[in-house]
Structure formats: C-alpha cells, structure tokens
Amino acid sequence: MDDRTGDNSAISRKGFRSIVRGALLLSLVLALGTSGYMAIEGWPLLEGLYMTVITITTVGYGEVRTVSEPGRIFTVFLIFAGMGIMAYTLGIVAQIMVEFQVRDLIGRRKLGWKLKNMKDHYILCGYGRIGEVIAHELKANGIPLMVIEQDPQCKEKLRSRDIPYIIDDATMEDVIIEAGIMRAKGLVTVVLSDADNLFITMTARGMNPDLFILARADQVATEKKLIRVGANKVVMPHLIGGLRMVHTILRPAVTDFFDIAMQDRSIELEIEELKVREKSRLNGVRLMDSGIRQDMNVIIVAIRDKAGDMSFNPSSDVAMEAGTTLIALGPAGDLEKLKHILRGD
C-alpha cells in the first residue's frame, strides 16, 4: 500500500522501454532474415518471412523449400540471433509481471498492517468529486482516514497521495469491519446513491453506536431517513451549492470574506472551533476577563453550549464553561495558542 505511483510509473516506463527495445530487435531480425532468404534463395516475401519465423521460434516445421549451402549457413546465424532476441524479450515480459506481483503482495501486507494499527480515524465511503475534496482536506489537517471506493481506477490516485484504501463495496458489512469501524472516530459516506448512503449509515451505526456519522443526501426525504437511522449530520451538496451561488449574488462581500477565511491558505486568518476543557485556566472565566481579544487578537464569533445550542455574538459577561465550544476567528498562530490554553496544556 505504501508503494508510490511514481515508483510504479518508473517501473512501467523502464519495462516499456525494454519491451520496445526487444520488439525493435525482433523486428530487425525478422526483416534481416526475410530479406536474407529473398536475396540468397530468391524466395518471395511471404516464404522468406515464414521461413524466418519458424527458424527463430524453432518450431521445427521443416524448410519450405530446399535450402542451398549459403542459405543453411545464413539459417544457422539466424537461429542464434533470433533465439537470443526472443529469450531477451520474453525474459523482460516475465520480469515485469513478477515485479508487479511482488509489489502488489507487499502492498497488501503493508495495508493489512496499517489497518490493524489504525484507530481514531475517519472512514470515507466514496472517492468521487466530493470524496476527493474531503480526503484532501482531512489529510492536509493531519486527520487519519481510510477510503473505501468501488472503482479500481481510483487506486493509483489514492496510492500517489499516500491514502490508505480498500477497493470494494462499502455497503458490505465485512468491508466496513476491515476498514476498522470499531476503532474509528467517524464515518463519512458520500457515494452517489442515496439508498447506499442510507444502508451504509444504518450498518455503521449498528456496529458502533458511538461513531460520528456524516452522510450525503440528494433528496430532502432521504435527509430525514438518514437522521432516523443514525447519521449525526447530513449534507445536501446541491442545496449548499445553490445557496452559495445566491449568496454570491446577494452578499458578495460576505462570500468573499468566508472564502478568504476558510479556503485561502496564503493568509493567516482562520475560523476554528475550540472546546473548553475542565483543566483550562479559562474554565469559568468571563469573556471580558479572559484577555482573548486583547492578548491574542482573536474574536469569539459564537459559543455552543453542552446541549448544542449556538449563541452568536456572545456578551462579554458570558462565562466559558467546560464542555462548551468557542467559534473563534483570528490569525492561525493565535488560534493555536488559544487551543492549548483551552485544553489546559
């Protein structure tokens, strides 16, 4: 699994060049043999080619015509040259096949080792356009993940990005088990079929009641069903895309701001959610007394309490209690500093 597409490509290019070289040498021997018989024996093209082929392949069909003494001497040299070229070409083909089989076997063993040692990871079902974006962002943020994708054509892309994967059907229970469902932190299902997303969600929830499940839906009715069978959150891409386009028209400045804050990695500004822990020195401290705004140049946009209720633009008198989550906006370095403080590091 740890082999890289670059390595495979290098093998493929090297093997391809060797095969082409062997094919060219073989073609050269065929051309020389055919032209030699035509010149020495006066045979037509087809008979010269036929005699050359049965000579270098040593099939032993016999001579098509009586060969003269110069022709027999030429045949001896042709046999040695042809057999060498044939052995070289067949050897190259066999070597490439063995190399790929060995690498595939090693890859499966390494994947099995990774699966056994992976925990607190996210299982991503589906590596289409949406799944690819999710995988990229999770990996960029250092979050371990395992991809389950049915299309074998995604294998090389996943290998090149060093993302562990299983090429199989995510709706099958044994595949979910192989992906480490009992040790996983969460599951994201974004396959194309609403029915499959529903089945995957239901299966995963039955196997791991504590799992966080994020599911994709295309229909409003499916959203309700996904929540009913165990999804924690449901996202409807077409709805989000439509609203985003409308907001771009109605509130372009707001849209640009969130694009910068959420997507532009060239600037320091970020939006982050930070949880208050019991041992944090800010546990029970009011916002006005925390020094967050003054010392770290961070703005608290909202606070979510333990029950999940969100309070936007909280008052400075609000106390930060353990278990609440702060939605903070500010430079990446200051947010990281605040994260450590809220964890009590």
Side-chain angles (χ1 to χ4, degrees):
M1 172 57 231
D2 279 342
D3 57 333
R4 304 291 185 265
T5 297
D7 298 336
N8 289 334
S9 298
I11 291 176
S12 299
R13 288 194 297 270
K14 181 181 178 181
F16 179 75
R17 287 196 296 268
S18 299
I19 291 175
V20 169
R21 191 182 303 116
L24 289 175
L25 290 173
L26 188 59
S27 299
L28 179 62
V29 170
L30 288 174
L32 290 175
T34 303
S35 59
Y37 283 119
M38 291 174 66
I40 296 173
E41 304 295 343
W43 294 348
L45 174 64
L46 184 59
E47 290 187 0
L49 176 61
Y50 179 76
M51 183 63 181
T52 302
V53 170
I54 65 173
T55 298
I56 64 176
T57 56
T58 65
V59 295
Y61 284 158
E63 299 169 349
V64 293
R65 293 189 187 184
T66 302
V67 182
S68 63
E69 187 173 338
R72 290 178 179 176
I73 297 173
F74 176 75
T75 300
V76 170
F77 285 104
L78 184 61
I79 290 173
F80 283 109
M83 287 180 62
I85 297 299
M86 287 286 291
Y88 170 79
T89 305
L90 293 176
I92 289 296
V93 172
Q95 179 184 351
I96 293 173
M97 291 177 65
V98 170
E99 282 183 0
F100 274 110
Q101 288 174 355
V102 170
R103 292 179 70 87
D104 189 56
L105 178 61
I106 294 174
R108 287 199 300 271
R109 288 181 178 176
K110 287 185 177 180
L111 174 59
W113 180 85
K114 276 194 171 185
L115 286 173
K116 290 179 181 178
N117 290 275
M118 185 174 285
K119 62 180 181 178
D120 294 330
H121 60 290
Y122 279 81
I123 299 172
L124 175 60
C125 303
Y127 196 70
R129 289 177 296 179
I130 296 175
E132 189 172 350
V133 173
I134 294 171
H136 178 270
E137 292 300 320
L138 289 178
K139 184 172 175 57
N141 284 275
I143 298 175
L145 76 152
M146 166 65 64
V147 172
I148 303 176
E149 170 56 49
Q150 200 166 4
D151 185 2
Q153 294 183 357
C154 295
K155 183 186 295 186
E156 291 304 319
K157 189 183 294 183
L158 288 162
R159 279 183 176 177
S160 68
R161 295 170 184 175
D162 194 25
I163 299 175
Y165 63 88
I166 297 173
I167 302 298
D168 215 323
D169 186 356
T171 62
M172 298 177 65
E173 188 174 312
D174 58 337
V175 175
I176 297 290
I177 293 174
E178 185 181 358
I181 187 72
M182 303 308 296
R183 305 183 305 276
K185 184 176 182 180
L187 178 140
V188 182
T189 175
V190 289
V191 296
L192 294 177
S193 167
D194 274 6
D196 287 345
N197 285 321
L198 190 65
F199 190 82
I200 292 169
T201 300
M202 184 170 56
T203 303
R205 177 57 69 213
M207 299 176 69
N208 189 343
D210 299 325
L211 192 71
F212 173 80
I213 300 177
L214 174 62
R216 165 188 172 170
D218 288 330
Q219 304 294 329
V220 176
T222 307
E223 179 184 13
K224 297 177 181 178
K225 292 177 182 178
L226 283 164
I227 295 293
R228 195 179 304 134
V229 299
N232 298 92
K233 296 287 183 180
V234 178
V235 175
M236 303 181 69
H238 71 280
L239 179 61
I240 293 176
L243 290 174
R244 166 63 189 276
M245 295 176 75
V246 171
H247 290 158
T248 302
I249 296 171
L250 300 178
R251 304 173 186 87
V254 175
T255 305
D256 289 343
F257 169 76
F258 278 103
D259 281 346
I260 292 172
M262 299 295 291
Q263 300 179 21
D264 194 342
R265 301 186 185 277
S266 64
I267 65 170
E268 286 288 317
L269 190 64
E270 290 184 4
I271 296 178
E272 188 63 86
E273 61 174 71
L274 309 171
K275 198 161 189 175
V276 183
R277 304 293 182 181
E278 283 282 353
K279 58 182 180 178
S280 171
R281 64 177 175 83
L282 295 182
N283 182 15
V285 178
R286 297 183 302 172
L287 285 175
M288 68 168 61
D289 301 324
S290 66
I292 292 176
R293 181 70 180 89
Q294 297 82 5
D295 300 338
M296 287 170 278
N297 196 27
V298 172
I299 299 172
I300 304 302
V301 179
I303 295 180
R304 186 174 65 187
D305 60 23
K306 298 176 184 179
D309 297 326
M310 191 79 72
S311 174
F312 294 95
N313 191 23
S315 168
S316 58
D317 290 327
V318 173
M320 296 173 288
E321 298 179 356
T324 60
T325 301
L326 308 183
I327 310 301
L329 171 67
D334 288 340
L335 288 174
E336 189 65 25
K337 180 180 177 182
L338 178 58
K339 182 189 294 184
H340 289 294
I341 294 174
L342 293 177
R343 286 196 311 217
D345 295 346

